[in-house]
Amino acid sequence: GIKGHIGDMSVLLGNRRLFQQQTIPIARYEEQMSQLEAAGKTAMLMAIDQELCGIIAVADTLKSEAREAIAALKADDIEVIMLTGDNQRTADAIAKELGITKVIAEVLPEKKAAVIADLQRQGHYVAMVGDGVNDAPALATATIGIAIGSGSDVAKETGDIILIKNDVRDVVLALRLSRAT
């Protein structure tokens, strides 16, 4: 989340965890937040001067080719895991829409790298696909880091492969090409 000041007012915008840390009760908005999250939206709480005053919901639009890419990876016998900082309900809703059955949610950036390292210790080769600053540690830890070209500079500098066209189907192409060579 984020904390700032507008004039004399203290403003807070963030997730449940942030509001719990600030000891601001959120029970009155819990049902609305759950409904938004179940619809695949990220619900953020807002407080002014330590008093809860509203919810802002945002949603990433799914890339039109994402479902096709996930299906192709599965057809190639590649296990797909969604690893995200989003809350569990939001992640589950998006994963269901994409056909992803394994979701690891509410993971802070440094923990993403730990999850990947754990998968590697279990003997898995891990390809991580990401586009944000929060993905950089995981991209660096993965067996192969694949950065989306429209993503942050940090992600692109960290990734082993950069998808120039921003088409996630190119993940499938890159993996198939690597097998062929």
Side-chain angles (χ1 to χ4, degrees), residues 46-74:
M46 183 170 206
I48 297 176
D49 292 331
Q50 294 294 104
E51 186 170 327
L52 187 61
C53 63
I55 302 173
I56 297 173
V58 296
D60 289 325
T61 54
L62 292 178
K63 293 182 179 287
S64 58
E65 66 275 2
R67 281 181 208 83
E68 184 181 337
I70 298 300
L73 289 168
K74 289 172 141 185

Side-chain angles (χ1 to χ4, degrees), residues 135-141 145-147 153-162:
D135 295 324
L139 288 167
T141 303
I146 304 173
D153 288 341
V154 173
K156 289 188 286 190
E157 289 176 23
T158 307
D160 300 300
I161 296 173
I162 301 172

Side-chain angles (χ1 to χ4, degrees), residues 57-144:
V58 296
D60 289 325
T61 54
L62 292 178
K63 293 182 179 287
S64 58
E65 66 275 2
R67 281 181 208 83
E68 184 181 337
I70 298 300
L73 289 168
K74 289 172 141 185
D76 286 353
D77 266 343
I78 295 172
E79 181 182 16
V80 178
I81 301 171
M82 178 187 284
L83 178 61
T84 180
D86 286 340
N87 73 65
Q88 192 70 52
R89 276 190 285 271
T90 301
D92 287 342
I94 298 298
K96 183 176 180 184
E97 200 170 330
L98 290 171
I100 298 172
T101 55
K102 186 167 185 181
V103 177
I104 303 171
E106 300 179 23
V107 183
L108 296 173
E110 61 274 9
K111 299 292 185 190
K112 285 183 181 181
V115 168
I116 288 173
D118 187 49
L119 288 167
Q120 290 169 323
R121 278 191 294 277
Q122 295 171 30
H124 299 284
Y125 293 100
V126 180
M128 167 70 185
V129 180
D131 66 353
V133 172
N134 292 343
D135 295 324
L139 288 167
T141 303
T143 310
I144 184 147

Side-chain angles (χ1 to χ4, degrees), residues 73 76 78 125-127 143-146 160-161 163 169-181:
L73 289 168
D76 286 353
I78 295 172
Y125 293 100
V126 180
T143 310
I144 184 147
I146 304 173
D160 300 300
I161 296 173
L163 301 180
R169 291 175 295 192
D170 287 343
V171 170
V172 180
L173 178 64
L175 294 174
R176 287 177 179 169
L177 230 120
S178 70
R179 284 182 176 165
T181 58

